Amino acid sequence: MTTNASKVLLNKITAAKKAIIEPEKLQVEGRLTRMVGLALEAEGCEVPVGGRCEIITADGSGHVAEVVGFSGDKIFLMPNGEIKGLGPGARVRPMSHFDGIQVSEQLLSRVLDGNGDPLDGGEKITSGQFMPLNGEPINPLNRHPIEQPLDVGVRAINALLTVGRGQRMGLFAGSGVGKSVLLGMMTRFTEADVIVVGLIGERGREVKEFIEHNLGVEGLKKAVVIAVPADQPPLMRLHGAKVATSIAEHFRDEGKQVLLLMDSLTRFCQAQRELALAIGEPPATKGYPPSVFAKLPKLVERAGNAEQGAGSITAFYTVLTEGDDQQDPIADAARAILDGHIVLSRQLADAGQYPAIDIESSVSRAQQQIISEEQLELVNQFRAMYSIYQQNRDLISVGAYERGTEPLLDEAIEMQPALRRFLQQGMNEKVDINDSVDELLQLMQQHRASKQELAIDNGTAEIISDNQHIGHNSGVIN
């Protein structure tokens, strides 16, 4: 027997032994027993939570669904896409477990769906580092603190609500107030090595508009876009948010400075609400089941700084406040776990101020750690002038306030046009962080100068008044 023939025979014997020792595990198929809304129930197959199944219809077509719960011998599934032609008794066949995505430099400039599959017509990424869908938590004691300011290109944020690298901020607003526009400005103007954009549960037409108008050709070269429009099933919207965060984690672990933009966090929570209610979880606060408030911090906590010397994920999450209610359950929960919030006011937007940032209601919790004492003093002065005017706005509008009654309010009235100009900025206008602080300094210096002139004028007027009073008295004596 030749040497080659011996090798072939030996390989066959080895494969046969392996097949005997490690026989292929048989797959036990189940049957579809119930379908209510988006939730499917099946019996007869054992699949863990997170596992996927293929549901085969009578005509032989298959639909992929994921196991999201179980009760006794029943498993609850949620489809990954639109389902048609399902009937009682349809075959349910276990599939591979979807728990991550392959990530590499090849993802840059790509547009993907919630499963990590391409939407841009390009090839699927099959090589790279495997990143789990749910990520691994970072020991809080190992996180590097927020120490370095981040230039976002927006004057009001750079000067008054300074953001640090690794900070997690929320953009809070009702519908149509300008969240997406402000997010687009920060996408174009923020300095970052990699930009990861998660368009979760928003209008489908906004996807292409965001890529072409906000990112542009140059911006897309260093960006990855995960797009899961509102017409996608809730499971895909959940996956989209997690996939975007996993991709951001990969580039952060490589030492890069990552900007994560997610529009919106509210749609992520609403998707979890739809899923939880469909499988029978009882509602709690305003219809949101407890699992929503458990998954929210798990997603947000994955962003931020890594260990010393590693990269960072600076994250901006938009939060839709229904009916402009800042006490909405999701807005309230997000505000508690984020490192700051920027509130957009419908009243300011209606008045033509863009971006419509409500300085009174907005805060950056890391600001005091990353700016100088001089800038902090300027910020406090600006806030004081802006706040006292807003508190007395109604009195001023109807003419009920009389000048001279409150000196600080008089100053605020004089300063109001300049304060408004400072807060306004064109959507294609970039103002870097140094220029933003310089303009704030010039604004407050002008205020001090005008205040001194006013004091001198008032003092001169008082002297003239006193002299006239003395002269009048002298005339009486004579």
Side-chain angles (χ1 to χ4, degrees):
M1 184 178 291
T2 64
T3 304
N4 290 336
S6 299
K7 288 182 178 180
V8 172
L9 180 59
L10 182 61
N11 290 336
K12 289 182 178 180
I13 294 173
T14 303
K17 285 182 178 179
K18 187 176 181 180
I20 295 172
I21 298 172
E22 301 177 3
E24 184 178 353
K25 187 177 180 180
L26 298 177
Q27 285 188 342
V28 180
E29 293 186 355
R31 295 287 177 180
L32 192 66
T33 59
R34 188 168 181 257
M35 175 180 175
V36 178
L38 293 176
L40 310 174
E41 290 184 15
E43 292 181 345
C45 57
E46 297 181 359
V47 185
V49 173
R52 295 192 299 174
C53 295
E54 183 181 21
I55 304 173
I56 303 172
T57 60
D59 61 2
S61 61
H63 300 279
V64 179
E66 184 174 314
V67 179
V68 294
F70 61 87
S71 177
D73 295 334
K74 298 179 181 179
I75 59 173
F76 304 129
L77 303 107
M78 191 67 67
N80 277 1
E82 188 176 356
I83 48 177
K84 294 180 181 179
L86 293 185
R91 293 163 53 199
V92 180
R93 185 173 64 190
M95 295 176 61
S96 60
H97 191 76
F98 175 71
D99 58 355
I101 181 175
Q102 299 288 342
V103 185
S104 68
E105 296 285 337
Q106 298 176 12
L107 281 179
L108 297 178
S109 77
R110 300 299 302 274
V111 183
L112 311 176
D113 65 8
N115 284 330
D117 297 326
L119 285 175
D120 53 11
E123 295 183 358
K124 181 177 175 63
I125 305 298
T126 56
S127 62
Q129 181 181 353
F130 178 83
M131 293 297 295
L133 200 63
N134 292 307
E136 294 293 333
I138 299 176
N139 187 327
L141 297 180
N142 294 336
R143 281 188 185 269
H144 188 63
I146 300 171
E147 297 176 338
Q148 183 180 357
L150 178 69
D151 185 359
V152 299
V154 180
R155 184 192 299 110
I157 299 176
N158 280 339
L160 304 174
L161 302 165
T162 312
V163 178
R165 285 200 182 276
Q167 193 168 347
R168 300 160 301 187
M169 294 286 288
L171 298 180
F172 290 69
S175 57
V177 183
K179 297 187 303 298
S180 299
V181 174
L182 180 57
L183 200 68
M185 291 175 65
M186 291 188 291
T187 303
R188 294 192 305 274
F189 301 150
T190 303
E191 294 295 332
D193 298 325
V194 177
I195 300 173
V196 181
V197 182
L199 302 176
I200 311 300
E202 295 300 317
R203 294 178 288 273
R205 69 167 180 81
E206 290 185 337
V207 176
K208 190 171 184 178
E209 289 180 1
F210 191 92
I211 294 171
E212 293 182 351
H213 299 160
N214 294 331
L215 280 175
V217 177
E218 292 300 319
L220 188 59
K221 289 180 180 179
K222 63 175 183 178
V224 185
V225 179
I226 309 299
V228 189
D231 59 351
Q232 294 294 307
L235 189 64
M236 290 293 288
R237 281 175 264 151
L238 291 174
H239 282 177
K242 293 178 180 179
V243 165
T245 307
S246 294
I247 294 173
E249 286 175 323
H250 166 79
F251 288 111
R252 177 188 63 187
D253 294 343
E254 289 192 337
K256 291 183 170 60
Q257 307 301 328
V258 183
L259 177 65
L260 173 63
L261 305 168
M262 191 170 295
D263 187 11
S264 76
L265 195 63
T266 303
R267 305 302 186 196
F268 170 82
C269 295
Q270 290 175 346
Q272 176 59 29
R273 176 175 65 179
E274 291 177 40
L275 187 150
L277 293 177
I279 64 175
E281 186 178 351
T285 309
K286 288 192 176 180
Y288 287 96
S291 62
V292 172
F293 303 100
K295 288 186 177 293
L296 183 59
K298 288 184 179 180
L299 180 71
V300 172
E301 280 295 321
R302 294 168 62 183
N305 285 332
E307 300 179 2
Q308 175 74 32
S312 67
I313 300 175
T314 305
F316 287 91
Y317 302 93
T318 65
V319 180
L320 178 65
T321 52
E322 297 181 1
D324 295 328
D325 181 14
Q326 294 298 325
Q327 305 308 316
D328 175 81
I330 299 304
D332 198 42
R335 193 162 41 241
I337 61 175
L338 292 171
D339 300 324
H341 49 274
I342 299 171
V343 178
L344 303 184
S345 166
R346 187 176 300 278
Q347 184 179 15
L348 294 176
D350 292 342
Q353 177 179 314
Y354 288 100
I357 299 175
D358 185 351
I359 295 299
E360 283 187 291
S361 304
S362 304
V363 66
S364 172
R365 295 180 179 175
Q367 185 177 28
Q368 295 186 6
Q369 306 169 26
I370 57 179
I371 65 173
S372 64
E373 293 184 2
E374 292 78 9
Q375 183 181 345
L376 183 60
E377 183 180 353
L378 295 174
V379 171
N380 291 336
Q381 292 175 8
F382 187 102
R383 283 180 172 272
M385 291 290 105
Y386 187 85
S387 180
I388 192 172
Y389 180 86
Q390 295 299 325
Q391 292 170 7
N392 295 274
R393 184 174 181 175
D394 292 339
L395 289 175
I396 299 170
S397 299
V398 299
Y401 174 73
E402 183 178 350
R403 291 291 185 95
T405 305
E406 176 57 52
L408 187 60
L409 181 54
D410 292 341
E411 295 175 25
I413 294 173
E414 294 293 333
M415 286 284 295
Q416 201 56 212
L419 300 182
R420 286 180 181 174
R421 285 194 300 271
F422 184 85
L423 295 175
Q424 290 179 332
Q425 183 175 334
M427 62 179 296
N428 296 316
E429 176 190 1
K430 178 182 178 181
V431 184
D432 66 37
I433 190 166
N434 292 326
D435 290 341
S436 301
V437 177
D438 288 343
E439 289 183 30
L440 177 62
L441 176 61
Q442 292 174 8
L443 176 65
M444 301 317 295
Q445 284 178 341
Q446 291 174 2
H447 163 59
R448 293 192 192 114
S450 61
K451 184 178 178 182
Q452 290 173 355
E453 290 177 3
L454 182 63
I456 292 172
D457 291 343
N458 289 340
T460 304
E462 289 177 2
I463 292 172
I464 294 172
S465 176
D466 290 342
N467 289 338
Q468 290 176 346
H469 181 69
I470 293 171
H472 176 72
N473 288 341
S474 298
V476 172
I477 293 172
N478 291 335

